[in-house]
Amino acid sequence: MTARIIDGKATALSLRQDVAKAVDTLKSGHGITPGLAVVLVGEDPASAVYVRNKHKQTLEAGMNSYEHRLDASTSQDDLLALVRKLNADPAVNGILVQLPLPDQIDSSAVIDTIDPAKDVDGFHVINAGRLATGLPALVPCTPVGCIILAKQVHADLSGLEAVVVGRSNIVGKPVAQLLLNKNCTVTIAHSRTKDLPGVCRRADILIAAVGRPEMVRGDWIKPGATVIDVGINRIPREDGKTRLVGDVAYEEAAEVAGAITPVPGGVGPMTIACLLRSTVEATCRQNGLEPLI
Ligand code: NDP
């Protein structure tokens, strides 16, 4: 079997177009332009690339983008003061503080300070709790992207066996919660799981969010399963350059799976598109409107 490739790039493009239409409606129908503030502390090169892409795609969707670049030596108090200022700013509907933060700053103190209504990353405990209890919530962007991609293969996820490898607060736990809310039977695997290959082989939908290059092998996959690979790992090439690979051994897995996301071009592009969608959703709720998207 050769798996169908789930095209994250095309799906993200189409989602960004839907976001742009919703932004048009907010502008023309309600006189509201959604605004997203992104805060970058320090010079981490990967974070700088993400922030640049977020800025560009926010503007392309017709929203306002406010970038705040702070020095790597910024104190926690100064960062919290900025977050409080953004909380109070009516032009800002969404706030994202790019992680990781420098060592002198406690990330959870920062996340706790973001107004949950503007927490477009969905990391605040209020949003995590709302997601866990089935209430409307701002949900972490990468997990939402995973579900949108899985739904391209399974219009109805109900009753499917889903296995999530990884239990981080950013990916593993929220994606498992979303799958549960879609009525999947969900197993969360992690570094202490016994017989991980056997657990993975149960999955109709296998989501790998581990951060270990090509750990999930072809023979861990149930024939015909849908494989969503969240991992982004940079590994050395023979010519001294590097290449990106996921947490799944793609070539082997594609021989067995029914559908699979590539790396790059799978889950990665969905994250920013879902962030833009979250910003529109937050804007709608802050203005007493039903989410347009
Ligand atoms: P974390 O490091 O926070 O979590 C990794 C998880 O994998 C942990 O729960 C850990 O288990 C588990 N794990 C580690 N080793 C093993 C193992 N040998 N067997 C089974 N489980 C294992 O990572 P993130 O969740 O933040 O990210 C995961 C991957 O997704 C990374 O490659 C990251 O780059 C990528 N990512 C991609 C995004 C995108 O936009 N596409 C966005 C966010 C992340 P335990 O809890 O027991 O330690």
Side-chain angles (χ1 to χ4, degrees):
M1 179 186 294
T2 305
R4 163 183 164 191
I5 296 169
I6 306 171
D7 187 344
K9 229 170 143 181
T11 311
L13 176 63
S14 147
L15 180 54
R16 292 204 308 274
Q17 288 167 344
D18 291 346
V19 168
K21 277 187 211 140
V23 170
D24 264 353
T25 306
L26 280 172
K27 283 181 175 173
S28 59
H30 303 274
I32 300 165
T33 303
L36 173 64
V38 177
V39 182
L40 175 63
V41 186
E43 309 287 335
D44 179 63
S47 295
V49 172
Y50 290 140
V51 168
R52 204 164 43 241
N53 287 337
K54 283 169 188 167
H55 177 66
K56 184 169 164 271
Q57 294 184 21
T58 303
L59 294 178
E60 280 170 5
M63 299 194 246
N64 290 326
S65 170
Y66 308 103
E67 245 188 66
H68 295 266
R69 288 173 179 265
L70 306 182
D71 196 82
S73 63
T74 298
S75 70
Q76 176 161 316
D77 283 351
D78 285 350
L79 178 56
L80 293 183
L82 173 61
V83 169
R84 288 192 190 100
K85 201 170 129 203
L86 297 172
N87 284 344
D89 185 345
V92 172
N93 303 103
I95 301 169
L96 182 149
V97 179
Q98 185 68 46
L99 302 178
L101 289 166
D103 290 346
Q104 75 275 16
I105 299 175
D106 172 10
S107 306
S108 25
V110 176
I111 292 166
D112 285 352
T113 304
I114 296 173
D115 177 351
K118 296 189 177 185
D119 168 39
V120 282
D121 246 346
F123 295 162
H124 195 289
V125 285
I126 295 266
N127 280 314
R130 291 180 71 88
L131 173 64
T133 51
L135 292 170
L138 291 169
V139 180
C141 303
T142 303
V144 173
C146 292
I147 300 298
I148 293 173
L149 294 178
K151 287 201 74 167
Q152 295 208 330
V153 183
H154 309 272
D156 182 7
L157 299 175
S158 190
L160 296 177
E161 285 278 349
V163 173
V164 179
V165 191
R167 57 174 164 179
S168 71
N169 292 337
I170 292 174
V171 189
K173 282 182 199 147
V175 85
Q177 197 66 62
L178 288 169
L179 290 161
L180 187 61
N181 292 353
K182 298 279 180 205
N183 299 315
C184 290
T185 302
V186 183
T187 302
I188 306 177
H190 46 77
S191 65
R192 311 290 172 87
T193 295
K194 290 188 180 137
D195 185 21
L196 185 59
V199 170
C200 290
R201 270 193 289 270
R202 295 208 302 255
D204 301 310
I205 299 178
L206 178 62
I207 301 203
V210 185
R212 295 193 181 268
E214 302 181 323
M215 185 188 84
V216 176
R217 309 309 307 187
D219 64 0
W220 297 20
I221 292 165
K222 176 174 169 178
T226 297
V227 178
I228 309 284
D229 189 353
V230 184
I232 301 179
N233 308 289
R234 200 168 276 285
I235 61 167
R237 283 193 327 200
E238 277 174 11
D239 62 5
K241 295 185 177 161
T242 59
R243 68 186 177 100
L244 287 184
V245 297
D247 290 340
V248 178
Y250 181 84
E251 301 295 336
E252 289 175 20
E255 290 298 313
V256 187
I260 188 166
T261 59
V263 177
V267 175
M270 293 300 292
T271 298
I272 298 183
C274 291
L275 170 70
L276 302 181
R277 187 174 97 149
S278 267
T279 305
V280 170
E281 186 184 339
T283 306
C284 291
R285 292 198 199 286
Q286 287 160 31
N287 287 279
L289 303 168
E290 275 304 304
L292 292 169
I293 183 165

